[in-house]
Amino acid sequence: SNCLILRGGNIQDGKIVNQKDNVYIDRILVKDRQKLMKYDVVIVASTGSVKVIGKAASATTDFVGESFGAFMTVLRANETVDKKYFGYFFQTNFYRKKIANLAKGSNINNIKVKHLQNMYFPLPPITKQKLIAQRLDDLIHKLNEAEEHLASKQDPGYFHTIKQAILQSAFLGKLI
């Protein structure tokens, strides 16, 4: 059977999506450690575009077992971190700005492993991480519903701004 190989274009607005030009290879060629697990964070690690570098999304059930291309990287939370909380961090403006600054300096923007390893990551106790992730699930679900309902009446940037305010509150410890 065939295995989808995720590329930068598959990461859109914090979600993994199928594209018309998806690339597939024979599943037998993909090592187990290269297959996505639920909540793995897939990141665009190398690109010519400052806007695209660092784009990230958490793997949903639909993409478990698929893989990723050479210009992508994958992060997997260990057992001390709530996987949903972990994924939400990579949707924050704080993360995107940090990555854009770190990746500058060559004509192809690259995220090095050390960039990610040295990044500040707010890590409250796991019980609090779970509460924050649950609260974010609820708020972002409501925000998405409002956006669908008001899509034709509202500037698209309006909802992005609200989502970023919610995420910033969460990672500054002001949400719960």
Side-chain angles (χ1 to χ4, degrees), residues 36 66 83-84 104 128 143 147-148 159 161 172:
L36 293 177
E66 305 298 354
K83 289 168 177 35
K84 281 187 171 183
K104 282 182 192 155
K128 200 166 247 185
L143 187 64
E147 187 173 12
E148 271 178 42
F159 291 99
T161 303
L172 290 174

Side-chain angles (χ1 to χ4, degrees), residues 9-46:
N10 293 106
I11 311 294
Q12 299 289 332
D13 299 319
K15 293 179 179 67
I16 300 174
V17 297
N18 280 302
Q19 297 284 81
K20 287 186 178 110
D21 64 346
N22 272 352
V23 172
Y24 296 88
I25 64 168
D26 193 315
R27 201 166 287 283
I28 205 140
L29 299 171
V30 182
K31 295 178 177 83
D32 281 346
R33 65 181 170 77
Q34 296 170 312
K35 292 178 182 168
L36 293 177
M37 293 171 68
K38 191 168 184 186
Y39 301 120
D40 281 355
V41 176
V42 184
I43 298 174
V44 178
S46 184

Side-chain angles (χ1 to χ4, degrees), residues 73-85:
T73 195
V74 170
L75 298 178
R76 183 171 293 155
N78 68 25
E79 59 286 340
T80 65
V81 183
D82 180 79
K83 289 168 177 35
K84 281 187 171 183
Y85 174 86

